[in-house]
Amino acid sequence: MAYKQYFRTGTVSIGEGEERRSFEVSQWVPAGALLVSLDAGDETGSGNKQEVALSPGSQVEYSADSRGLLAETSGYPKLTKKKEGSVQIVTVSLEPMVRISEDGWSAQLTLYPPCDGGPVPDQQQILDELTRAGVRWGIRERAIKAACEQVSEQKTPVVGQVIARGRMPVNGQNGRLRIEVSVGVQPGEEQSDGSMDFKERNVFIGVDAGQLLATRIPATAGLVGINVFGHEVPQVPGKELNVKSSADIVFDEQSGQIRAACGGVVTVVNDTTVKVTSKQVIPDDIDYHTGNVRSKGGVEVGGSVRPGFVLRAGGDILVNGIIESAQVIGGANMIVRGGMTGKQSLLEVEGDVFVHYIEEGRVVARGSVTVAQELYFADVRCLGSFTCGADARVIGSRLFAGGSLSLHQVDTDTSPHSTLAAAVDSERHERYVSLLKKKERCEEAVFKLQHRLGPGGASVDLEDRQEELADCSAELKEFNLIPVSPDNDAAGGLRYACGQKIDIAGVIQAGATIRIGNSEAILRHTCREGFFSLNGDTQKIFFYSSKNPLQNFEL
């Protein structure tokens, strides 16, 4: 028994001189084309009959009589052979000309120059293939035409060209507050000339009873998405901000205005909460003379917070000195005019943090974090953005931001490597890491049980571990780290993640871990002056040089 092959393969060369390279391609075939078939005869030509078996690979199926292999879609077939005993296994797989992403958000085109000088698929054939695949929306006819011209005229391949793209849903914006009192510029805000303003934010702003503090801005509905099949993908509407009158504020539901119910100092947290509190002043250090300090209002510390002591406040916190192996926990915003030192140090606030430097310790904020000078071996996690001052160095630190990161120099040739993450919910990331460890434990347990039971062995314990491993793998596959979308929707928030960046004004050393949203990579090359961003088509992280586009590359 022999087989007959119905498509040709050949070698195509592209480029000139030293850049000239050759590769093997096959003839393009349409969907339904017969690729190989069994044929009675002596393959060896020596009288020794050899049995041949056909095996369909990717995008290939058996013919009706099972004696041939057919192309399930248009594309480029590839034939491989291997011998098992006296049987020769002939496998044919096919690289599709048009590939639809699993999530239905894009269609990509692959075209190769013909190996025999024949024609390449034209624009109409590609459009017909899209129609056959059910693509109805977001077709880019100009991209298709340009790809056909490139292959026909320049004789260079087109691989993975996006020729149809859906419209990602735009989630609604949550309700927020428009602040009507001047709290000053957020530290680290970018100015019109591109520089960063590191002036401290105003704190302890006095207000009178009845004074207008803020106005509630309603949530928005967002915009429904459409995948390439023309199916609507619902967006997540914004959530209305719940505001209620209390002892310190008066809220008018009809106008959305919030006024002070009494005199005091105003506290604004993440543009979603406003309150009027009292102010407590600690003239010197928090140490053995004061003991731990707990306040429902705002607290100003004239000195430092010494090792082992705790400061808790319901309002804004201002520390004029340093925080040294101590815990400072606040219900609003925090300014530390000195720095933070010591592995046991913890800053945890509901709003924003501004601190001059961090030497070890941990910062957790539901707002943004600004560090004017250096970070050494620090762990910083925030739901807003993270900003470093000009010429600041980040050494061996872990930085997680729900928004973007703006940095200058990261690591040195001899320092430990930093981890930089943008568009990531740090609490979800901790759960994600726990899941990865759980999966590793399950895989190890399954391996040990299979080794002990032997080939084909079974037990209730093995079935339980395999089921646990399958559940863990399924959860990891859909796990989403992007904070603006549900944690079980891996495709959610992609538009948001693509809008966040990790800016590098100076140098970042090779070896750092770079994560944006659900994508992570290790930096293999030292980079200078540019930014890392997520490509929405490939969901890969790219570095874009600010000075030389030739230095752009995929991580």
Side-chain angles (χ1 to χ4, degrees):
M1 183 71 69
Y3 71 91
K4 184 176 182 181
Q5 181 175 329
Y6 293 90
F7 62 91
R8 295 184 299 277
T9 60
T11 301
V12 174
S13 298
I14 61 173
E16 299 292 338
E18 295 182 354
E19 297 184 357
R20 186 176 180 84
R21 59 188 180 92
S22 300
F23 54 94
E24 185 178 274
V25 297
S26 63
Q27 171 192 9
W28 172 83
V29 298
L34 179 62
L35 305 176
V36 296
S37 66
L38 293 175
D39 188 21
D42 181 8
E43 188 187 27
T44 65
S46 62
N48 296 321
K49 301 287 186 178
Q50 184 179 31
E51 187 177 353
V52 175
L54 301 182
S55 174
S58 175
Q59 304 294 326
V60 173
E61 61 184 358
Y62 283 114
S63 61
D65 58 4
S66 298
R67 294 182 58 82
L69 296 179
L70 307 177
E72 291 183 346
T73 185
S74 301
Y76 299 89
K78 180 180 180 180
L79 184 145
T80 58
K81 296 182 289 184
K82 68 176 181 179
K83 193 172 182 180
E84 293 185 359
S86 62
V87 180
Q88 184 180 50
I89 308 297
V90 176
T91 301
V92 181
S93 58
L94 182 137
E95 182 179 4
M97 178 179 69
V98 173
R99 188 185 299 274
I100 313 298
S101 63
E102 290 185 7
D103 54 19
W105 288 119
S106 66
Q108 296 180 334
L109 175 67
T110 295
L111 292 177
Y112 292 104
C115 60
D116 54 3
V120 297
D122 59 26
Q123 184 174 358
Q124 188 56 53
Q125 287 175 304
I126 296 170
L127 290 173
D128 290 343
E129 185 65 22
L130 289 173
T131 300
R132 195 187 71 82
V135 176
R136 300 288 185 274
W137 202 90
I139 297 174
R140 301 176 177 179
E141 294 195 19
R142 289 185 180 179
I144 297 173
K145 181 180 179 182
C148 292
E149 292 175 351
Q150 176 180 326
V151 176
S152 298
E153 299 173 9
Q154 301 177 23
K155 305 301 182 183
T156 58
V158 172
V159 180
Q161 172 67 50
V162 176
I163 57 171
R165 173 166 293 286
R167 184 183 71 199
M168 298 286 287
V170 179
N171 293 336
Q173 297 291 318
N174 293 334
R176 60 182 180 85
L177 298 181
R178 184 178 67 232
I179 307 304
E180 309 290 0
V181 291
S182 177
V183 295
V185 174
Q186 167 68 27
E189 183 168 299
E190 186 173 355
Q191 305 301 294
S192 58
D193 62 357
S195 64
M196 303 300 288
D197 182 1
F198 285 93
K199 294 184 178 70
E200 294 174 1
R201 176 179 187 162
N202 295 333
V203 291
F204 307 131
I205 301 166
V207 294
D208 300 321
Q211 182 174 341
L212 179 62
L213 305 178
T215 302
R216 184 175 72 175
I217 306 300
T220 60
L223 180 67
V224 68
I226 304 176
N227 63 21
V228 296
F229 302 115
H231 303 151
E232 289 191 351
V233 179
Q235 79 283 25
V236 178
K239 297 179 181 179
E240 291 293 353
L241 182 62
N242 185 28
V243 180
K244 293 182 179 180
S245 296
S246 61
D248 59 322
I249 63 169
V250 177
F251 175 60
D252 186 312
E253 184 73 40
Q254 185 171 0
S255 66
Q257 292 184 339
I258 302 172
R259 296 182 179 274
C262 58
V265 293
V266 64
T267 292
V268 178
V269 185
N270 299 329
D271 290 341
T272 59
T273 302
V274 61
K275 49 188 174 181
V276 179
T277 69
S278 59
K279 175 187 174 183
Q280 180 179 357
V281 178
I282 311 295
D284 298 308
D285 294 344
I286 293 179
D287 54 17
Y288 288 103
H289 291 91
T290 62
N292 296 329
V293 174
R294 293 176 175 83
S295 172
K296 294 182 179 179
V299 175
E300 178 178 353
V301 180
S304 301
V305 185
R306 293 305 179 184
F309 287 90
V310 177
L311 166 59
R312 291 180 180 268
D316 290 334
I317 295 175
L318 171 61
V319 178
N320 286 286
I322 66 173
I323 295 171
E324 185 179 1
S325 296
Q327 294 186 13
V328 181
I329 301 170
N333 309 298
M334 184 186 304
I335 292 176
V336 183
R337 286 183 174 157
M340 182 177 81
T341 64
K343 291 182 179 180
Q344 304 306 315
S345 289
L346 170 66
L347 303 186
E348 185 172 341
V349 298
E350 291 296 313
D352 304 325
V353 171
F354 175 83
V355 59
H356 269 267
Y357 66 88
I358 302 176
E359 294 179 2
E360 301 182 310
R362 179 180 173 94
V363 175
V364 181
R366 297 193 67 79
S368 297
V369 173
T370 303
V371 179
Q373 298 177 9
E374 284 77 21
L375 289 93
Y376 292 95
F377 311 108
D379 188 325
V380 179
R381 299 159 187 270
C382 61
L383 281 181
S385 293
F386 178 91
T387 305
C388 259
D391 301 324
R393 290 192 298 176
V394 175
I395 305 296
S397 296
R398 292 168 55 82
L399 309 180
F400 288 80
S404 294
L405 300 173
S406 296
L407 311 171
H408 192 269
Q409 179 171 326
V410 180
D411 298 334
T412 66
D413 291 336
T414 58
S415 73
H417 302 306
S418 293
T419 296
L420 311 178
V424 170
D425 184 317
S426 64
E427 292 182 358
R428 294 187 193 178
H429 185 265
E430 289 181 355
R431 299 204 310 271
Y432 177 74
V433 171
S434 296
L435 273 173
L436 286 175
K437 292 179 179 178
K438 180 181 178 181
K439 181 185 177 184
E440 290 177 2
R441 292 194 299 269
C442 289
E443 288 174 336
E444 184 178 359
V446 168
F447 174 79
K448 288 182 177 179
L449 284 169
Q450 288 176 334
H451 182 73
R452 179 164 58 85
L453 295 170
S459 71
V460 174
D461 195 17
L462 177 59
E463 291 178 0
D464 290 342
R465 293 293 179 270
Q466 288 175 328
E467 183 177 349
E468 186 178 9
L469 176 59
D471 291 342
C472 190
S473 299
E475 187 173 357
L476 279 169
K477 184 178 180 181
E478 295 299 323
F479 202 92
N480 176 42
L481 299 172
I482 304 171
V484 299
S485 52
D487 61 6
N488 60 350
D489 180 10
L494 180 60
R495 182 190 297 273
Y496 172 83
C498 291
Q500 308 308 309
K501 297 187 296 183
I502 300 178
D503 279 300
I504 306 295
V507 178
I508 178 170
Q509 295 291 328
T513 298
I514 307 296
R515 173 176 282 278
I516 300 179
N518 297 316
S519 300
E520 182 179 280
I522 303 296
L523 183 61
R524 302 299 181 188
H525 309 283
T526 295
C527 300
R528 183 185 302 272
E529 297 180 38
F531 64 90
F532 298 94
S533 182
L534 185 65
N535 183 291
D537 293 336
T538 64
Q539 297 191 36
K540 301 290 186 180
I541 299 174
F542 281 76
F543 177 77
Y544 298 92
S545 172
S546 301
K547 301 238 175 134
N548 186 359
L550 295 178
Q551 296 178 355
N552 299 347
F553 64 92
E554 177 186 319
L555 272 64

